[in-house]
Amino acid sequence: MSTAETLQHLVLQTLDKNTVINDSKDLVEDQLALLGALNSLKSKNMVDFEYLDREVWYLTEEGKQVAEQGSHEARYFDLVPAGDEGISMAEVKAVLGDVASVGQGKAFKNKWIKKNGDNVLRLVDSIVDQTKLDLQEVQKNGTLSNAKLLTDYKKRKLVDKQKLTTYKVTKGPEFALEIKKEATDITYEMLQSGEWKNATFKKYNFDAAGIAPNGGHLHPLMKVRQEFREIFFEMGFQEMPTNCFMESSFWNFDALFQPQQHPARDAHDTFFLKDPETTDRFPRDLMEKIRVTHETGGDTGSIGYNYKWKEDDAGKMLLRTHTTAVSSYMLYQLAEKTKEQGFFKPAKYFSIDRVFRNESVDATHLAEFHQIEGVIADKNLTLGDLIGFMDVFFKKMGMDKIRFKPTYNPYTEPSMEIFSYHDGLKKWVEIGNSGMFRPEMLQPLGLPPDVRVIAWGLGLERPTMVKYSISNIRDLLGHKVNIGMIKEYPVCRLDKKMGKELVGLSQDD
């Protein structure tokens, strides 16, 4: 039987005999252990109890020694023999040690002894060691009737006081000598046998402190994402609202001057929605400008794509294939704000969020991934501004060797691929894409003719895989992710070499 059960039975047997326990100090010495037993019995309504708080005096270690062996002054007196010769003070000190000086002083004060040269003589034949008697009373009762004496003994470090909590215990409504075992949970066996109908269940203690949960852990993608966000914020960018994954083909393709017969708009490249399948919730005047630009080039100086633009195709709903869909909408809002204010104010936007492509899943590709995108809108920007900004931006990521190669994008011209020299691979690696938005995209949105927009984008997954030495993207994102690795991976530092940046990529990459 455990100590807790022993205490519970002791309480019950005492109550059965005496009806009430007026003060538990006479029952057991360990009141804290008793409290646990009382709480357990009270939860079963077998007993009730109330707290009895009071201050009590107790003996220090030195006080316990005095109560057992006598006070310093009494022990000093006992060493002084009767007669006229007495004993030398040096001899007494040799026997009593450090307490000799205290005992001597008190004995002189009580007029028990006197000094005769280097010796001490008795002045009385016998004494009463009141200090010893007082401390024995304190040890027994926890106090003295003479408060002044207690203060004196406390100064002598013989006694001290403490708060003592004991308990008054009475019988509860379900008092019994036998303690019924309570069930804590309904088990499968209880349900099968019907035992749960007659079982007694332990009450929930809603006031009890729960187990402190372990700290949360950020996914590696979120760590790298936050590093990119800090760079953008440091450079004065505003984060675009990208919390809606569904988009219309109008903003995802048409507003970007991407023709409706472009292969990217086929079902084998894009996830189209069935419900809702279409929408017409886009500005009608903007739609008309974009239609004209696609068909003839409008006022942009372009000849357009020379085809019949269809509103039905623009209204098709899809899972966005890039966050540039949000960029086009933000630039339209910027143009509208410019009209309201009467002047143009430069803007810098960025986004880091999820996009979707209908691609085959393998070690380096998923049907959904994260895109990092930044755009800067200002008057008379040039390709040199884009290159200069890219140099500063990527240096903040720890990439100080950057170069560019011309490429083709449907909605930027000129367009450039961005490469960084990889020390591990000893070669140049593509890290992103960039360019200047075409006039066919910007002018229908309503921006002033001299406003240029530079833009760039890169994936979030590849930098994360490099930073954390992950070879298979399915180990980073998706149902195969090992939750344990999320707890173990360190904080990401884009400005510090780590992971595969130090050792180089494997041939499988």
Side-chain angles (χ1 to χ4, degrees), residues 285 331-341 445-447:
D285 58 339
L331 291 173
Y332 172 70
Q333 292 295 317
L334 178 62
E336 293 297 299
K337 188 175 181 180
T338 300
K339 294 174 185 177
E340 293 177 7
Q341 294 176 337
L445 295 176
L447 289 170

Side-chain angles (χ1 to χ4, degrees), residues 334-403:
L334 178 62
E336 293 297 299
K337 188 175 181 180
T338 300
K339 294 174 185 177
E340 293 177 7
Q341 294 176 337
F343 63 91
F344 172 78
K345 183 178 179 181
K348 294 191 284 187
Y349 301 123
F350 84 93
S351 65
I352 308 173
D353 215 332
R354 193 168 297 191
V355 297
F356 306 86
R357 305 276 176 86
N358 192 0
E359 295 183 353
S360 299
V361 176
D362 56 31
T364 57
H365 297 85
L366 289 177
E368 54 180 307
F369 55 95
H370 293 78
Q371 181 178 338
I372 303 167
E373 180 166 342
V375 297
I376 299 177
D378 202 353
K379 293 185 177 182
N380 302 315
L381 289 175
T382 67
L383 189 64
D385 294 309
L386 174 60
I387 293 174
F389 185 85
M390 289 295 95
D391 186 61
V392 174
F393 179 79
F394 284 103
K395 276 184 178 178
K396 289 183 177 292
M397 295 169 52
M399 301 179 184
D400 52 3
K401 298 178 183 178
I402 300 294
R403 72 182 186 185

